[in-house]
């Protein structure tokens, strides 16, 4: 190749043209989102067969690439933005969030240290504090953004481990230390166990605490487990309480759990990845009662707060706990501002950090704290209405309380009484609904019973959509053997 031949990137004019075409495509996508099948008619491998197995050797025409995007990708995509998407925890790629993601890609900042991204570093601290206020959490919490709650819990348990071993683990590893234990309810998210695996604590050292009839951790059972472990020579390191469990959205009694952690002796982490959003509504602030005593708390704005994937905010009472755990400053990261600015790479496992704060900032500004609360509240009202419909319908039953916006229920036709038959029937109903492309739900097992699980969390879901989905569910169930 001729060394003088500069290849570079598209010209700014070309970039503008493709962005304009992209903007138009996105606008059109949302205008016609309801024409998409929520879950496409597709089998594993179908999509791979549409892609060449070798990379192109010569650059291809961008117009052609965009045309291929439009032709190939949407039919092989699960449309989380469809108003009838109700699986797992429904979320939203909101307009301000999409705009922010585009701009963030344009700036392509890496907020590892202040100098590598001043606005991005400082905005992260400011918007996390905005969110803190919106959730009614106490002053002075340090907040930063991770990609996911699963990574945030790894960061927080690493800090708890550092504190419990007085920093010994940092240099020597775990060998020779007493076994550290983590406690979480049997309903807690699997990321807690995964963090224990990653951190070398061992999954067996996550002690599962029994839950009550409403799926909430039983504080007495926690107290007994901690006391027993102490007697047996284990070191209780952390308790993970959940506000909005993944299966049933139950709420652990954090106010009763906190005193058992003895004010800092055992690290208290609150997993409010989904449920924290509810506290933006003033009348539901109580869901975070007791969380003022937590050492750390995670909320995912990418779940029920209308911020596109990925954005998970970790609050920590004492930022120093994180810094002591993670800070390593190689000479190439030393900057003149080290003493006067926060370098966010010092507070977590990642060095490179995307400008995620921008989308949280734009979403909060575009809707306002009241607008966000009103949208969350609308979802709560829809969930209540759905529960009424279920209660009034013949042969339908709700299988768990629904304190948030996720409802668990099943079809229970007369004469069908054994669990295995009910499971078979409801599995077929679920499969049939999802295959229709009209709506998309997931399932869970509630105390041995198979439940349809309908989560409401998408900004575009209106009452009319939910009613149509409920009619579809009933109609499918009535004709499914
Ligand atoms: C979704 C969820 C998680 C995991 O969140 P990611 O950001 O996907 O890692 C953890 N805990 C609870 C309670 C959740 O609902």
């Amino acid at each position: 190749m001729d060394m003088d031949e500069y290849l570079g990137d598209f010209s700014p004019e070309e970039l503008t043209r493709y962005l304009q075409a992209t903007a138009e495509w996105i606008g059109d996508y949302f205008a016609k989102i309801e024409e998409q099948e929520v879950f496409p008619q597709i089998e594993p491998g179908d999509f791979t067969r549409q892609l060449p197995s070798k990379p192109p050797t010569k650059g291809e025409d961008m117009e052609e690439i965009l045309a291929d995007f439009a032709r190939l990708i949407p039919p092989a995509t699960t449309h989380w933005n469809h108003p009838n998407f109700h699986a797992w925890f429904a979320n939203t790629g909101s307009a301000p969030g999409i705009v922010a993601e585009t701009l963030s890609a344009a700036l392509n900042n890496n907020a590892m240290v202040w100098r590598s991204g001043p606005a991005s570093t400082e905005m992260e601290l400011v918007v996390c504090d905005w969110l803190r206020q919106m959730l009614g959490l106490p002053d002075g919490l340090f907040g930063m953004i991770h990609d996911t709650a699963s990574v945030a819990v790894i960061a927080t348990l690493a800090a708890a481990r550092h504190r419990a071993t007085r920093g010994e683990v940092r240099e020597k590893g775990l060998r020779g230390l007493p076994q550290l234990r983590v406690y979480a309810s049997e309903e807690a998210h699997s990321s807690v166990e995964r963090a224990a695996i990653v951190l070398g604590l061992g999954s067996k050292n996550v002690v599962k605490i029994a839950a009550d009839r409403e799926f909430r951790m039983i504080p007495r059972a926690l107290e007994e487990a901690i006391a027993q472990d102490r007697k047996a020579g284990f070191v209780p390191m952390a308790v993970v309480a959940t506000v909005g469990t993944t299966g049933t959205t139950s709420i652990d009694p954090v106010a009763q759990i906190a005193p058992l952690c003895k004010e800092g002796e055992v690290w208290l982490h609150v997993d409010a990845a989904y449920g924290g959003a509810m506290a933006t509504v003033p009348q539901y602030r109580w869901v975070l009662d007791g969380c003022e005593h937590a050492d750390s708390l995670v909320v995912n704005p990418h779940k029920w707060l209308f911020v596109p994937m990925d954005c998970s905010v970790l609050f920590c009472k004492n930022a120093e706990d994180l810094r002591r755990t993670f800070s390593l400053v190689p000479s190439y990261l030393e900057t003149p501002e080290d003493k006067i600015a926060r370098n966010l790479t010092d507070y977590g496992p990642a060095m490179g950090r995307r400008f995620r704060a921008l989308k949280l900032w734009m979403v909060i500004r575009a809707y306002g704290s009241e607008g966000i609360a009103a949208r969350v509240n609308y979802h709560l009202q829809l969930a209540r209405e759905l529960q009424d419909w279920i209660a009034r319908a013949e042969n339908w039953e709700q299988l768990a309380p629904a304190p948030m916006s996720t409802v668990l229920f099943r079809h229970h036709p007369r004469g069908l009484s054994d669990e295995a038959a009910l499971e078979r029937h409801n599995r077929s109903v679920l499969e049939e609904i999802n295959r229709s492309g009209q709506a998309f739900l997931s399932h869970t097992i509630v105390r041995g019973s198979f439940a349809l699980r309908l989560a409401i969390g998408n900004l575009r879901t209106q009452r009319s959509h939910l009613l149509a989905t409920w009619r579809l569910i009933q109609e499918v169930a009535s004709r499914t053997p």
Side-chain angles (χ1 to χ4, degrees):
M1 190 194 289
D2 179 356
M3 279 306 287
D4 290 335
E5 192 187 354
Y6 167 74
L7 293 171
D9 198 1
F10 300 161
S11 69
E13 293 74 26
E14 285 172 304
L15 171 62
T16 304
R17 209 167 70 235
Y18 298 130
L19 279 175
Q20 274 163 352
T22 302
E24 264 161 45
W25 187 90
I26 294 173
D28 199 47
Y29 171 69
F30 280 108
K32 298 190 195 137
I33 184 88
E34 291 179 42
E35 294 171 18
Q36 303 279 353
E37 291 182 314
V38 193
F39 180 70
Q41 310 273 342
I42 191 167
E43 297 299 328
D46 286 354
F47 181 68
T48 306
R49 277 190 285 281
Q50 310 231 42
L51 301 180
S53 59
K54 292 203 167 60
T57 48
K58 300 260 191 306
E60 297 181 85
D61 183 18
M62 198 58 197
E63 261 143 46
E64 206 173 298
I65 300 170
L66 287 174
D68 278 348
F69 167 85
R71 182 173 63 86
L72 296 174
I73 312 264
T77 291
T78 305
H79 293 280
W80 288 68
N81 278 318
H82 194 296
N84 299 346
F85 181 100
H86 296 292
W88 304 298
F89 282 127
N91 64 10
T92 308
S94 62
I98 293 166
V99 171
E101 282 288 57
T102 310
L103 293 170
S104 159
L107 298 178
N108 195 32
N109 257 224
N110 184 343
M112 46 192 185
V113 293
W114 179 86
R115 177 163 283 232
S116 68
S120 139
T121 298
E122 294 188 19
M123 184 180 279
E124 186 162 332
L125 297 166
V126 170
V127 287
C128 287
D129 198 61
W130 285 7
L131 182 63
R132 175 194 66 73
Q133 296 171 51
M134 288 162 63
L135 301 174
L137 290 168
D139 271 349
L141 286 183
F142 166 79
M144 69 184 287
I145 303 178
H146 288 278
D147 52 357
T148 59
S150 303
V151 167
V153 73
I154 293 173
T156 200
L157 290 183
R161 187 181 64 170
H162 184 96
R163 203 172 77 181
T165 63
R166 297 191 179 75
E168 259 190 78
V169 70
R170 188 177 155 111
E171 284 172 18
K172 297 195 207 145
L174 286 163
R175 213 184 150 89
L177 291 173
Q179 287 215 335
L180 303 168
R181 288 224 138 151
V182 177
Y183 307 82
S185 98
E186 55 190 352
E187 298 291 321
H189 190 266
S190 57
S191 56
V192 179
E193 216 166 309
R194 184 139 66 183
I197 295 169
V198 171
L199 293 168
L201 302 171
S203 60
K204 286 225 168 104
N205 288 314
V206 177
V207 181
K208 299 282 169 67
I209 306 298
D212 66 14
R213 288 173 52 201
E214 294 192 9
F215 309 96
R216 301 168 298 199
M217 190 195 290
I218 301 171
R220 266 218 63 99
L222 172 66
E223 189 170 16
E224 279 162 20
I226 292 178
Q228 251 175 32
D229 276 358
R230 281 221 165 90
K231 240 184 256 159
F234 294 107
V235 172
M237 178 189 107
V239 171
V240 179
T242 312
V243 171
T245 57
T246 314
T248 67
T249 72
S250 59
I251 302 163
D252 287 343
V254 181
Q256 292 165 52
I257 290 168
L260 305 176
C261 299
K262 303 230 165 63
E263 287 302 325
E265 212 178 299
V266 179
W267 185 292
L268 175 59
H269 176 64
V270 176
D271 179 354
Y274 160 72
M278 195 164 155
T280 58
V281 187
Q283 81 233 53
Y284 299 118
R285 279 238 167 121
W286 59 264
V287 297
L288 294 182
D289 277 356
C291 293
E292 63 277 15
H293 302 296
D295 292 281
S296 57
L297 180 145
V298 71
V299 180
N300 278 2
H302 76 224
K303 271 192 172 149
W304 196 10
L305 287 174
F306 321 123
V307 174
M309 287 292 294
D310 50 2
C311 182
S312 178
V313 174
L314 176 65
F315 292 105
C316 195
K317 192 180 260 175
N318 184 4
E320 276 306 288
D321 279 325
L322 293 169
R323 206 189 54 78
R324 278 189 212 112
T325 306
F326 291 106
S327 179
L328 270 181
V329 186
S331 53
Y332 52 81
L333 277 187
E334 280 168 11
T335 63
E337 299 80 29
D338 285 356
K339 296 231 154 30
I340 51 168
R342 280 211 204 266
N343 295 325
L344 288 172
T345 182
D346 285 345
Y347 297 83
M351 183 167 100
R353 313 183 65 262
R354 301 179 60 221
F355 191 177
R356 296 191 183 91
L358 191 64
K359 52 187 169 179
L360 185 52
W361 184 69
M362 283 207 184
V363 167
I364 296 175
R365 285 197 59 187
Y367 303 145
S369 61
E370 287 178 4
I372 288 177
R375 286 164 171 87
V376 169
N377 202 18
Y378 182 67
H379 290 161
L380 290 162
Q381 285 166 359
L382 288 182
R384 241 171 279 136
E385 201 156 7
L386 173 62
Q387 292 175 77
D388 281 348
W389 297 339
I390 293 167
R392 280 193 268 116
E394 228 173 295
N395 302 336
W396 287 88
E397 61 193 5
Q398 196 176 333
L399 292 180
M404 295 183 175
S405 66
T406 299
V407 184
L408 309 185
F409 59 104
R410 71 175 171 186
H411 188 222
H412 194 155
R414 237 185 295 273
L416 212 56
S417 58
D418 87 281
E419 280 297 328
L422 278 168
E423 172 161 348
R424 264 197 311 279
H425 172 66
N426 280 279
R427 268 190 197 279
S428 308
V429 171
L430 178 65
E431 227 3 71
E432 206 46 42
I433 292 163
N434 289 347
R435 243 206 316 255
S436 77
Q438 301 296 302
F440 192 58
L441 317 183
S442 56
H443 74 272
T444 193
I445 306 286
V446 188
R447 292 216 179 80
S449 295
F450 181 89
L452 305 178
R453 185 175 171 290
L454 192 153
I456 300 162
N458 186 307
L459 210 47
R460 299 181 182 86
T461 304
Q462 299 176 38
R463 186 178 181 278
S464 54
H465 296 116
L466 189 65
L467 188 57
T469 297
W470 170 235
R471 291 199 175 121
L472 170 77
I473 294 169
Q474 288 176 292
E475 186 265 315
V476 168
S478 69
R479 62 176 159 81
T480 301

